[in-house]
Amino acid sequence: MKKFLFLLLLAASATAQLQKIEPPFWYAGMQHSDLQIMCYAPNVAQYTVSASGGVIIKNIQKTENPNYLFVTVDTKNLPPQTFDLNFTAVDSKKPAFTQSYELKKRRENSRLRKGFDASDVVYLIMSDRFANGNPANDSNPSLTEKADRANPGGRHGGDIQGMIDHLDYLQQLGVTALWPTPLCEDNDTKYSYHTYGQSDVYKIDARYGTNEEYVALSKAAHEKGIKLIMDYVTNHWGAEHWMYKDLPTYDWFHQFPGFAQCNYRMTSQFDTNVSEIDKKLCVDGWFVRSMPDLNQSNPLVLNYLTQNALWWIEYADLDGFRVDTYSYNDKQGIAQWTKALTDEYPYFNIVGEVWMYSQAQMAYWQKDSKIGAIESFNSYLPSVMDFTLQDVLSSVLNEDQATWDKGLIRVYNNFTNDFLYPNPDNILTFIENHDTTRFNELYKNDFQKYQMALTIMATVRGIPQIYYGSEIGMSGDKGKGDADIRRDFPGGWKGDANNAFSASGRTAEQNKFFDFTSKLLNWRKKNAAVHFGKMKHYLPDNNVYVYFRYTDDQSVMVLINNSNQKQNIKT
């Protein structure tokens, strides 16, 4: 009986296999040629690893957790191929099991892909709230939270197919780049539609679709002249992430031990007078308890995040990243991550969320900042978000009477600080996003104020970003909770009484907003002066702001009257 049992165990070990291998495949011809393959299975560290076909293994790294092996393979000069990784017990000459691994062929000129820039208009979609293209995937047996459209903070069923179905709508609107909020799996028990607490960063959440559908979205968007931007999270994962449940290393996440609340004081990243504990709680503290904070100073973590980002760019043919909570990361680690991506793709664009209300503090985070250079820091981050302009536009249009510091002088003053930015053309401008009270809520759907704000957005320096639904007058109050600023787009669900995706389905008020937005954005598409032209502006007079965008061949004059009276302008 004992001998029979031994033979059964031997047979089981011979058919053992990895539970996870990440990246699941790679690409030949990448500059990132030292590929670190994460191998995960119970007690996988007991095996030695060899590769077939003359593929060179440069390093095998074990950690304190025997369920992980990190195998570094030299892919330099290797053609596209499939090779085997052989896992052999120390006391055996024959592999216990073999794992095939593929190096795929890259797209032609993949390295030279052109990212989004100031010639684009970015459309931000709250992925679960835009359109339900496939009701069959609203819930999934392998994922905890089920669809419940009646729950304002629950999952409503918006998905990738819904985006694909309405690319014609975006094209008609004049959009040239699409930014959906994160689509990777988030298996939280509630509020999972938010998707910033991810549980698997190589897998699209099944309630949004599949990896293949995400690739199909990219392809379909490109066919319509629309770029695709991935919302990427480097600072944290979710507490349901499979690696958090079986840590590769104790310090994969920042430990205190366990949870410590972030103080959100991003100024501690460059404050010369900062206390170490304040700086540590900003950088290492957890954003919230359900989002364990990733430790980018751990080389294994940093390389894992780098390879994951490169993999998505190559696999889904992406045109850019928006990086969540960029300035909460370990700044040296995130700078290395950003540089690795832009070294691989020199024309790829990455915009970081640096939510601060000082141009000097935001400019610190843009690539080649003279402010960062004071302490020999370069983030290598091409773009930041213009939160100061968004802040001004959230109230200035109610200031009908100009004073020394009220009225459009505040908009003018925002641009007087452009000298601080290394590249002001590559700043993301916006009047609202998925974390702020909606513009049309602040201004009670005042159409003229929407016209003024959107005109400013479309004609000043930078890359304009609009938030889904603004173009039909959607409103929402952050004070009532996040769900109110992330309402379902009318017509995105079968049976909706109001279908704002078509002119005939929109109300007269919705058509008024849409028609103006579409006319302005489509005009902008063909106007080089407002893409990369120089800007000259004049001090506002009687709350009237005049500026020009111009090139050698073209000039555009913009006049914004924020007074409550008609004005005569002398030229």
Side-chain angles (χ1 to χ4, degrees), residues 196-250:
Y196 286 94
Q198 296 167 5
S199 52
D200 190 328
V201 295
Y202 276 100
K203 183 180 181 182
I204 295 295
D205 193 296
R207 292 161 294 192
Y208 289 135
T210 63
N211 285 21
E212 292 77 17
E213 284 178 286
Y214 186 54
V215 174
L217 169 63
S218 177
K219 185 175 185 293
H222 289 158
E223 288 172 354
K224 294 187 179 296
I226 297 174
K227 300 172 183 177
L228 183 60
I229 301 167
M230 174 178 261
D231 199 333
Y232 197 92
V233 189
T234 53
N235 182 63
H236 52 262
W237 288 342
E240 295 301 315
H241 195 287
W242 68 271
M243 291 177 89
Y244 182 66
K245 294 176 178 293
D246 190 17
L247 293 175
T249 66
Y250 176 74

Side-chain angles (χ1 to χ4, degrees), residues 124 179 196 231 266 287 322-328 351-363 365-366 381 383-396 410-411 413-415 417-418 421 424 426-437 439 442 457 460-465 467 478 485-486:
L124 165 59
W179 158 23
Y196 286 94
D231 199 333
M266 291 173 282
F287 208 72
R322 178 266 184 182
V323 181
D324 183 66
T325 55
Y326 190 91
S327 48
Y328 290 95
V351 59
E353 181 190 29
V354 179
W355 196 335
M356 310 184 85
Y357 292 117
S358 159
Q359 285 94 341
Q361 293 172 3
M362 292 189 299
W365 290 97
Q366 194 177 30
L381 177 68
S383 176
V384 294
M385 299 168 68
D386 196 345
F387 276 97
T388 57
L389 180 60
Q390 183 270 333
D391 183 50
V392 166
L393 290 174
S394 68
S395 58
V396 70
R410 295 172 59 206
V411 177
N413 283 341
N414 187 80
F415 302 118
N417 287 304
D418 276 359
Y421 294 108
N426 203 27
I427 296 174
L428 193 77
T429 59
F430 59 106
I431 58 175
E432 61 183 351
N433 65 23
H434 60 300
D435 289 321
T436 69
T437 292
F439 181 90
L442 293 169
M457 289 282 300
V460 298
R461 89 294 185 261
I463 308 164
Q465 169 252 298
Y467 183 39
K478 173 78 170 178
I485 59 175
R486 302 167 183 172

Side-chain angles (χ1 to χ4, degrees), residues 80-122:
Q81 62 180 283
T82 297
F83 61 89
D84 289 334
L85 293 175
N86 302 309
F87 292 79
T88 305
V90 175
D91 57 353
S92 175
K93 294 183 179 180
K94 299 181 70 173
F97 66 95
T98 295
Q99 174 73 48
S100 65
Y101 197 87
E102 184 179 6
L103 289 179
K104 294 178 179 285
K105 182 179 180 180
R106 297 180 77 178
R107 292 177 180 85
E108 188 175 357
N109 296 320
S110 176
R111 170 174 159 74
L112 302 179
R113 67 184 62 232
K114 184 176 181 289
F116 66 98
D117 59 27
S119 67
D120 289 304
V121 173
V122 178

Side-chain angles (χ1 to χ4, degrees), residues 533-548:
K534 295 179 180 179
M535 180 174 176
K536 186 182 290 293
H537 63 170
Y538 295 83
L539 280 165
D541 185 20
N542 293 326
N543 220 2
V544 176
Y545 182 34
V546 178
Y547 57 91
F548 289 82

